[in-house]
Amino acid sequence: MLRTSPINMDVEKLFHMTGGIGEHSYAKNSSLQKKASHMVKHITIEALQEVYLALAPKSFGIADLGCSSGPNTLSIIKDILEAVEAVSCKIMSPAPEFRVYLNDLPTNDFNSVFKSLPDFYKELKKERSGGSPSLFIAGYPGSFYGRIFPNNCLHFVYSSFSLHWLSQIPPGLYDEQGRSINKGNIYISESSPPLVSQAYFKQFQDDFSLFLRSRSQEVTTGGCMVLILLGRIGPDHVDRGNSFFWELLSRSLAILVSQGQIEKEKLDSYEVNFYTASKDEIEAEIRREGSFELVRMEMFETESQLEKVSRNYGAEVAMTVRAIQESMISHHFGDQILDSLFEIYASVVNEEIVKEDINPIQLPWFLRNYN
């Protein structure tokens, strides 16, 4: 049989949020991410204002790593401008010029971001009664698991809901014949052998360490990073948090197998390039790598079950996950299953949320480069 393992997938070329502004686009289906980012906005503002007061750069270098496309991309830029302008006004100093570098994988829909810039600049100018900040926005395509920018050119790095995506499917998920050791699952589940969680954790360690090492050369001494990751509370990889959504997607794919819409071998060979690290795992890696000082860390859960059920939470989650996973699922299974798969997924999520709440965890980190 022809090997179809995703270990052959070039994640950097294939993985991207669904572009454009259509019904299934990330631009139309990223409200959950925006709400979650807003919950930790105070940490972002605190880090920004601290680094500005400490370094007082005349040209403020900022990078948004994993920027994707859609309204969230420009929303965070606006928040950054307003936070720094507020501080500069308070200390009666001219606001700096802003160099904003938008980074994501090369397949990201940068064009939709660039097309919306004229209106964005016009809005900024209008809000400032004809004046506008000195703002220069550029796209930097490429994986952030490695160097992207020149040495010491950044004062502030922001990355929201990106670092839980791995650079590749963990090689340790496959035996010597290239067959998955995690059959029937697309992520860590109760039926997964211990080697599965070990393989995912090892890949996260390698990726996160490389990320920190790369940024330490690009961020100036005293510069800061705010990293917002999906995570988990404790050592158990299987819980009713972020990992549970993958368990429900596995169930939905299994239903399509039972209906004959996809082959069992296809499901057995599909894994996601995702890992929800715990607070302790992330903190240990930050300390081991040694380039950044941990200033602050918090943990947040999402809203109550009642609010979720009342607004058809399943459909919203399904649209969000589709906008994120469509490129990978289409490549592996074919795009003909997408509508059926996510209709089933929405139904499965709603069935589960009625039984018991699902509590996704997000972990925001405020780090300072002291090298």
Side-chain angles (χ1 to χ4, degrees):
M1 186 178 117
L2 181 67
R3 179 178 166 189
T4 57
S5 164
I7 198 170
N8 287 330
M9 285 185 178
D10 187 336
V11 169
E12 188 168 342
K13 290 183 178 179
L14 293 172
F15 180 55
H16 59 87
M17 308 297 107
T18 303
I21 55 172
E23 179 186 359
H24 301 124
S25 67
Y26 186 80
K28 294 286 188 183
N29 297 285
S30 52
S31 61
L32 292 177
Q33 290 90 329
K34 183 174 182 178
K35 291 171 187 173
S37 294
H38 187 74
M39 291 173 63
V40 300
K41 181 178 174 180
H42 61 287
I43 297 178
T44 304
I45 300 305
E46 175 189 338
L48 269 167
Q49 295 180 337
E50 180 175 311
V51 72
Y52 177 67
L53 286 171
L55 302 180
K58 293 183 178 180
S59 181
F60 203 165
I62 300 158
D64 182 353
L65 306 184
C67 66
S68 192
S69 58
N72 293 358
T73 304
L74 298 181
S75 177
I76 185 59
I77 295 176
K78 187 176 180 183
D79 289 342
I80 288 170
L81 295 179
E82 291 175 349
V84 174
E85 287 174 336
V87 173
S88 64
C89 180
K90 187 174 182 179
I91 62 174
M92 293 183 289
S93 175
E97 68 174 19
F98 297 89
R99 295 174 283 114
V100 179
Y101 306 116
L102 303 178
N103 159 261
D104 212 311
L105 295 175
T107 47
N108 182 58
D109 184 11
F110 285 100
N111 279 342
S112 67
V113 178
F114 298 148
K115 286 177 181 177
S116 58
L117 285 181
D119 287 340
F120 179 65
Y121 289 133
K122 188 181 298 183
E123 180 185 354
L124 292 177
K125 190 173 183 179
K126 182 179 179 181
E127 290 176 354
R128 288 157 179 80
S129 301
S132 60
S134 296
L135 173 62
F136 306 92
I137 299 176
Y140 266 64
S143 172
F144 50 50
Y145 294 123
R147 289 294 302 274
I148 309 170
F149 308 103
N151 286 340
N152 301 313
C153 72
L154 300 175
H155 301 96
F156 180 75
V157 169
Y158 176 82
S159 182
S160 179
F161 298 101
S162 298
L163 279 163
H164 40 254
W165 296 110
L166 303 174
S167 66
Q168 63 176 340
I169 309 297
L173 294 177
Y174 303 94
D175 62 20
E176 293 179 355
Q177 287 73 44
R179 295 171 301 198
S180 173
I181 63 172
N182 196 30
K183 288 183 170 56
N185 302 303
I186 66 173
Y187 186 57
I188 305 165
S189 73
E190 290 183 352
S191 62
S192 300
L195 285 175
V196 170
S197 57
Q198 293 171 23
Y200 271 106
F201 179 48
K202 170 70 165 55
Q203 188 62 53
F204 171 78
Q205 285 181 303
D206 292 347
D207 284 346
F208 193 52
S209 177
L210 179 56
F211 175 89
L212 294 172
R213 190 162 63 251
S214 300
R215 301 295 82 74
S216 71
Q217 299 173 67
E218 298 165 352
V219 176
T220 188
T221 300
C224 295
M225 297 199 298
V226 170
L227 312 176
I228 305 169
L229 296 80
L230 295 177
R232 63 184 203 277
I233 293 178
D236 191 354
H237 289 88
V238 181
D239 57 16
R240 286 185 74 89
N242 294 296
S243 66
F244 193 61
F245 288 118
W246 297 115
E247 169 66 26
L248 299 184
L249 189 57
S250 289
R251 289 187 203 172
S252 303
L253 286 163
I255 290 172
L256 291 185
V257 171
S258 70
Q259 294 175 351
Q261 294 194 50
I262 59 176
E263 299 174 359
K264 185 177 184 300
E265 291 78 8
K266 283 281 190 179
L267 174 55
D268 288 343
S269 62
Y270 188 70
E271 314 286 343
V272 294
N273 60 312
F274 177 89
Y275 183 71
T276 46
S278 69
K279 169 185 173 293
D280 290 344
E281 289 172 347
I282 298 171
E283 186 170 353
E285 204 57 38
I286 291 169
R287 298 191 187 284
R288 188 192 68 79
E289 196 280 329
S291 298
F292 288 87
E293 171 193 14
L294 174 57
V295 179
R296 181 175 178 183
M297 175 270 164
E298 295 187 22
M299 182 180 293
F300 292 88
E301 291 186 6
T302 55
E303 59 220 345
S304 72
Q305 173 180 343
L306 181 62
E307 290 171 326
K308 291 175 180 177
V309 174
S310 67
R311 67 166 191 241
N312 194 5
Y313 186 62
E316 190 169 352
V317 169
M319 293 293 278
T320 299
V321 173
R322 177 169 181 167
I324 294 169
Q325 276 286 290
E326 188 170 280
S327 62
M328 300 293 275
I329 290 174
S330 295
H331 176 80
H332 190 76
F333 297 101
D335 57 13
Q336 71 279 357
I337 71 160
L338 291 171
D339 290 342
S340 297
L341 172 62
F342 286 103
E343 285 175 11
I344 293 170
Y345 185 60
S347 176
V348 170
V349 170
N350 275 335
E351 288 173 6
E352 284 294 333
I353 201 70
V354 170
K355 297 178 190 175
E356 185 181 349
D357 207 3
I358 304 173
N359 298 305
I361 300 297
Q362 57 171 322
L363 304 172
W365 298 80
F366 173 5
L367 308 179
R368 182 189 296 111
N369 185 13
Y370 59 85
N371 289 332

